Amino acid sequence: MKAVIQRVSQASVTIAGNKVANISNGLLVLLGIVAEDTQEDIVWLSKKIANLRIFEDEAGVMNTSLITSEGDAIVVSQFTLYASTKKGNRPSYIKAAKPDIAIPLYEAFVGQLETDLGKSVQTGEFGADMKVELINDGPVTIIIDSKNKE
């Protein structure tokens, strides 16, 4: 599992003209999934994101997590995170998990993040043409791959 985590002061997801997710302060998480991902990847990545200390404390130091900052989160499926650009100019997405594998893993990740945060997490819609808007706060953008946890 690969996640691009962006600290935002505002983020939203719109599908076919309808805003389906909207937060102020928090994290926008773009999530890529491969067929080899497991429950272990879900738990590890969710805990890492929930506890990542990238919010400023009273002293202006990035020392606070999403949990302690009481921010919100949006998780958006993003199969293009596993694009291969080694050959030619057209990316290959062969590494990305097919929907029959990816959807249950995506839903399990969202559920695990809700458990870790102790609140509901907003989402886009798997496979939909989404318009994602955000104001990246900082900017702070972190990329985490569950296969590189050691």
Side-chain angles (χ1 to χ4, degrees):
M1 244 172 218
K2 188 181 292 184
V4 174
I5 301 133
Q6 296 178 308
R7 186 180 76 183
V8 298
S9 57
Q10 181 181 348
S12 66
V13 178
T14 303
I15 301 171
N18 298 316
K19 195 170 283 191
V20 298
N22 189 38
I23 63 170
S24 52
N25 295 314
L27 297 177
L28 173 66
V29 179
L30 305 175
L31 184 69
I33 298 168
V34 292
E36 298 79 29
D37 286 329
T38 65
Q39 183 66 28
E40 181 182 326
D41 293 294
I42 290 168
V43 170
W44 181 85
L45 185 58
S46 175
K47 288 192 181 320
K48 181 64 86 172
I49 291 170
N51 291 290
L52 200 59
R53 296 180 347 190
I54 58 174
F55 292 90
E56 293 179 356
D57 62 16
E58 305 80 35
V61 177
M62 285 199 295
N63 200 29
T64 306
S65 70
L66 185 59
I67 295 170
T68 55
S69 72
E70 299 182 6
D72 292 311
I74 298 176
V75 178
V76 174
S77 61
Q78 184 81 43
F79 75 93
T80 61
L81 291 179
Y82 281 102
S84 174
T85 58
K86 285 186 177 183
K87 291 193 210 173
N89 294 317
R90 178 184 232 177
S92 167
Y93 304 107
I94 198 156
K95 285 185 174 182
K98 303 290 183 242
D100 61 319
I101 294 170
I103 291 171
L105 290 171
Y106 170 75
E107 291 171 350
F109 176 82
V110 171
Q112 182 65 51
L113 189 56
E114 288 178 333
T115 298
D116 291 340
L117 294 175
K119 66 168 122 182
S120 113
V121 170
Q122 297 185 48
T123 64
E125 181 182 320
F126 192 95
D129 180 19
M130 296 175 271
K131 307 303 179 207
V132 179
E133 294 182 78
L134 69 132
I135 298 174
N136 192 322
D137 183 20
V140 175
T141 301
I142 310 273
I143 300 170
I144 302 176
D145 189 330
S146 66
K147 303 303 188 247
N148 297 331
K149 53 186 156 217
E150 294 181 24

